[in-house]
């Protein structure tokens, strides 16, 4: 569902949980090498990331070939709901990447300035208007109500390299290159769901349940999830909503799940609410075969909130979408380098799954922009990114074909929550840590469509 469950679940809490965020200082925050540690800048810095060479490098640029580009600087926007969520994951990713890249010389000598556009949840359109006025591109961000700004983005021909996308109008929209696997016509979790009900827990296939937060974003995702589950062979016996503001007592929900003998449960919503539901299920002495937490719960915070009793009783699983597991960073050079860069440039900042996707988007942008040389234009960067047919961000994720916007997911990987933290589940991965050649399910329901250039009276001929 590339109206992503993981993204929108992370974006929906009281009314909606946040997509990603940045510094808390105001509508716009600028992050550049000037914000870094001067002592850190004195040491030699590698311009390679993972298995990718010369991502950032010095040079002698000249001229101002595009909006937001001068001989010295590239202005880039980062969408964020930070004013509402107080979550700085996207701003932190921008800070870490730009500080490292600028220390390595920038993009052929041009330094990157990241302008965090704080939507405060409800002001996506206003922030997009500002980004259209000032920025060269959008990189490594996301907003719960991102569809509110898509029309403005297309009108001003602003390319987008997002970390997360949420609303139908924005998912797969034109001039967008997403590092996340999957397209809007395909069920993102078809491979994962198939593994759950046909391989790992076949007895659960006849009794699967679904709970969604009661908001426009998650209700649509819930409809897609129900279709996908049925499409891969599950029988959905329980489908319920919970108030987006949260539930004070989950006991009635737990009793309904128990009365319907639900064996597997998909939860689309806040992991803090899921923890409370699981506490109610455990108190009712009811254990499911599996609970799909959604990847929003892939944090130490969920482990802490759920507690040892719940984690030893319930079987919590999450498909983290082909991102290499953070807890196994020592075994993967790109992930290890990412953790080292965070330790250097943003010590104390949390590295979340959305933050890793944001960093992947930044690496994509920088690699593409570097290939353009001195004549840096939006069209050049966009077209360079679209040529990536096996994007891994240097090894941060399973390979994704970026040349096609609407394509099925090919690889997945599953994590299990334990009292000792998240660990890779026994999902029979290949040597690369992923399960690939996943089954494909294409939606038959109508869930809306993404905006195109034609919808705003533009075409690729206008894109420069």
């Amino acid at each position: 569902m590339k109206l992503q469950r993981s993204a929108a679940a992370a974006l929906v809490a009281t009314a909606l949980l946040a997509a990603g965020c940045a510094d808390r200082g105001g509508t716009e925050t600028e992050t550049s090498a000037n914000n870094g540690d001067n002592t850190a800048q004195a040491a030699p810095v590698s311009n390679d990331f993972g298995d990718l060479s010369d991502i950032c490098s010095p040079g002698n640029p000249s001229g101002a070939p595009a909006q937001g580009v001068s001989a010295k600087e590239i202005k880039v926007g980062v969408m964020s709901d930070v004013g509402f969520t107080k979550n700085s994951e996207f701003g932190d990713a921008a800070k870490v990447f730009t500080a490292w890249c600028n220390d390595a010389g920038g993009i052929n000598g041009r330094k990157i300035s990241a302008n965090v556009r704080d939507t405060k949840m409800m002001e996506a359109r206003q922030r997009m208007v500002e980004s259209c006025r000032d920025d060269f591109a959008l990189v490594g961000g996301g907003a719960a109500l991102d569809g509110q700004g898509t029309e403005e983005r297309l009108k001003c021909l602003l390319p987008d390299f997002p970390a997360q996308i949420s609303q139908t109008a924005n998912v797969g929209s034109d001039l967008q290159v997403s590092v996340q696997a999957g397209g809007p016509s395909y069920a993102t979790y078809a491979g994962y769901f198939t593994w759950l009900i046909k391989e790992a827990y076949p007895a659960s296939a006849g009794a699967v349940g679904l709970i969604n937060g009661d908001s426009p974003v998650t209700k649509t995702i819930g409809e897609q999830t129900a279709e996908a589950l049925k499409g891969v062979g599950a029988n959905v016996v329980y489908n319920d909503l919970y108030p987006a503001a949260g539930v004070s007592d989950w006991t009635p929900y737990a009793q309904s799940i128990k009365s319907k003998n639900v064996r597997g449960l998909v939860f689309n919503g806040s992991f803090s609410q899921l923890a409370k539901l699981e506490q109610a299920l455990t108190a009712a002495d009811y254990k499911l075969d599996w609970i799909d937490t959604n990847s929003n719960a892939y944090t130490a915070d969920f482990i802490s909130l759920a507690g040892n009793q719940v984690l030893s009783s319930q079987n919590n699983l999450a498909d983290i979408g082909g991102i290499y597991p953070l807890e196994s960073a020592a075994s993967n050079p790109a992930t290890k380098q990412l953790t080292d860069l965070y330790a250097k440039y943003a010590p104390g900042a949390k590295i979340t799954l959305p933050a890793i996707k944001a960093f992947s988007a930044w690496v994509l942008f920088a690699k593409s922009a570097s290939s353009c040389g001195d004549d840096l234009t939006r069209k050049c960067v966009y077209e360079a990114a679209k040529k990536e047919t096996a994007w891994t961000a240097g090894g941060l994720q399973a390979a994704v074909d970026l040349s096609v916007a609407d394509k099925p997911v090919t690889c997945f990987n599953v994590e299990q929550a334990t009292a000792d933290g998240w660990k890779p589940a026994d999902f029979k991965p290949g040597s690369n840590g992923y399960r690939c050649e996943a089954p494909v399910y294409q939606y038959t329901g109508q869930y809306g469509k993404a905006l195109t250039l034609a919808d705003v009276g533009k075409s690729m001929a206008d894109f420069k």
Side-chain angles (χ1 to χ4, degrees):
M1 296 147 284
K2 185 103 182 251
L3 202 160
Q4 298 167 11
R5 276 188 321 124
S6 58
L11 305 174
V12 181
T14 46
L16 291 158
L17 266 184
C21 310
D23 299 348
R24 302 179 186 179
T27 299
E28 177 179 313
T29 304
E30 187 167 297
T31 302
S32 71
N34 294 330
N35 297 335
D37 184 334
N38 290 332
T39 59
Q41 294 176 27
V45 175
S46 170
N47 57 5
D48 303 337
F49 184 80
D51 60 16
L52 297 174
S53 301
D54 299 326
I55 296 299
C56 302
S57 61
N60 296 296
S62 61
Q67 175 184 293
V69 179
S70 69
K72 296 182 178 180
E73 181 185 37
I74 305 169
K75 293 182 178 180
V76 177
V78 182
M79 284 294 171
S80 163
D81 291 330
V82 64
F84 181 84
T85 65
K86 312 307 178 187
N87 183 339
S88 62
E89 58 194 349
F90 291 161
D92 291 339
K95 176 182 179 180
V96 172
F97 182 87
T98 57
W100 166 69
C101 186
N102 290 342
D103 280 356
I107 304 297
N108 299 319
R110 289 185 171 104
K111 300 301 177 73
I112 308 173
S113 293
N115 301 316
V116 177
R117 305 291 180 180
D118 180 9
T119 73
K120 304 174 186 176
M121 187 62 76
M122 302 303 296
E123 299 178 6
R125 181 182 176 277
Q126 293 93 316
R127 298 295 86 76
M128 190 64 73
V129 169
E130 294 169 359
S131 189
C132 282
R133 181 191 65 208
D134 298 329
D135 298 329
F136 173 67
L138 291 173
V139 182
L145 303 180
D146 56 5
Q148 294 183 356
T150 307
E151 182 177 350
E152 295 296 335
R153 180 177 66 79
L154 293 178
K155 284 180 179 178
C156 76
L157 301 169
L158 185 67
D160 184 20
F161 304 83
Q164 291 188 160
I165 40 183
S166 178
Q167 292 191 297
T168 302
N170 194 43
V171 177
S173 57
D174 280 352
L175 303 185
Q176 182 183 86
V177 186
S178 172
V179 298
Q180 179 81 13
S185 297
Y186 297 91
T188 302
Y189 302 96
Y192 170 52
F193 288 157
T194 300
W195 172 77
L196 281 171
I197 68 168
K198 292 186 176 179
E199 185 176 332
Y201 309 98
S204 70
V208 175
L210 177 63
I211 295 183
N212 301 289
D214 189 3
S215 75
V217 176
T218 46
K219 286 173 74 173
T220 300
I221 288 175
E223 294 170 1
Q224 292 180 312
T225 302
E227 180 185 337
L229 286 166
K230 295 172 185 176
V232 301
N235 181 32
V236 178
V237 298
Y238 174 77
N239 193 340
D240 205 354
L241 296 172
Y242 77 88
V247 177
S248 58
D249 182 7
W250 279 93
T251 302
Y253 292 86
Q255 291 172 343
S256 293
I257 291 169
K258 184 175 182 179
S259 68
K260 293 183 181 296
N261 296 311
V262 175
R263 301 287 296 271
L265 179 68
V266 178
F267 189 87
N268 291 325
S270 162
F271 66 75
S272 62
Q273 293 297 307
L274 174 60
K276 294 177 182 179
L277 169 61
E278 293 196 35
Q279 289 162 1
L281 288 166
T282 303
D285 195 27
Y286 190 69
K287 180 179 180 180
L288 294 93
D289 292 352
W290 55 268
I291 296 175
D292 171 29
T293 67
N294 78 64
S295 62
N296 177 44
Y298 179 62
T299 67
D301 291 338
F302 175 72
I303 300 297
S304 177
L305 287 170
N308 290 349
Q309 184 178 5
V310 164
L311 294 172
S312 62
S313 176
Q314 305 296 342
N315 182 23
N316 286 280
L317 300 166
D319 176 5
I320 61 171
I323 301 295
Y324 198 87
L326 188 60
E327 74 275 3
S328 302
S331 302
N332 189 48
T335 311
K336 177 61 166 61
Q337 185 177 357
L338 174 69
T339 61
D340 290 344
L341 290 175
Y342 264 73
K344 179 177 181 178
Y345 293 109
K350 293 181 179 180
I351 306 177
T352 64
L353 198 65
I356 298 174
K357 295 175 188 177
F359 205 88
S360 175
W362 276 106
V363 175
L364 174 65
F365 170 77
K367 181 176 184 293
S368 303
S370 292
S371 73
C372 295
D374 192 34
D375 190 21
L376 181 60
T377 65
R378 289 173 169 178
K379 184 176 183 179
C380 180
V381 174
Y382 175 79
E383 290 183 344
K386 293 290 284 185
K387 292 177 182 177
E388 299 286 349
T389 57
W391 179 253
T392 68
L396 286 179
Q397 62 183 76
V400 177
D401 183 358
L402 305 184
S403 67
V404 181
D406 192 12
K407 71 282 184 185
V409 172
T410 56
C411 298
F412 67 96
N413 54 329
V414 186
E415 291 281 299
Q416 183 176 38
T418 74
D420 295 324
W422 286 94
K423 310 289 184 184
D426 184 17
F427 65 103
K428 307 289 191 299
S431 59
N432 60 358
Y434 309 107
R435 184 88 172 257
C436 296
E437 297 182 4
V440 173
Y441 179 80
Q442 188 168 14
Y443 293 123
T444 60
Q446 300 299 312
Y447 303 107
K449 61 181 288 290
L451 286 175
T452 67
L453 287 169
D455 291 330
V456 298
K458 300 283 187 178
S459 73
M460 287 301 293
D462 299 308
F463 189 46
K464 308 297 183 183

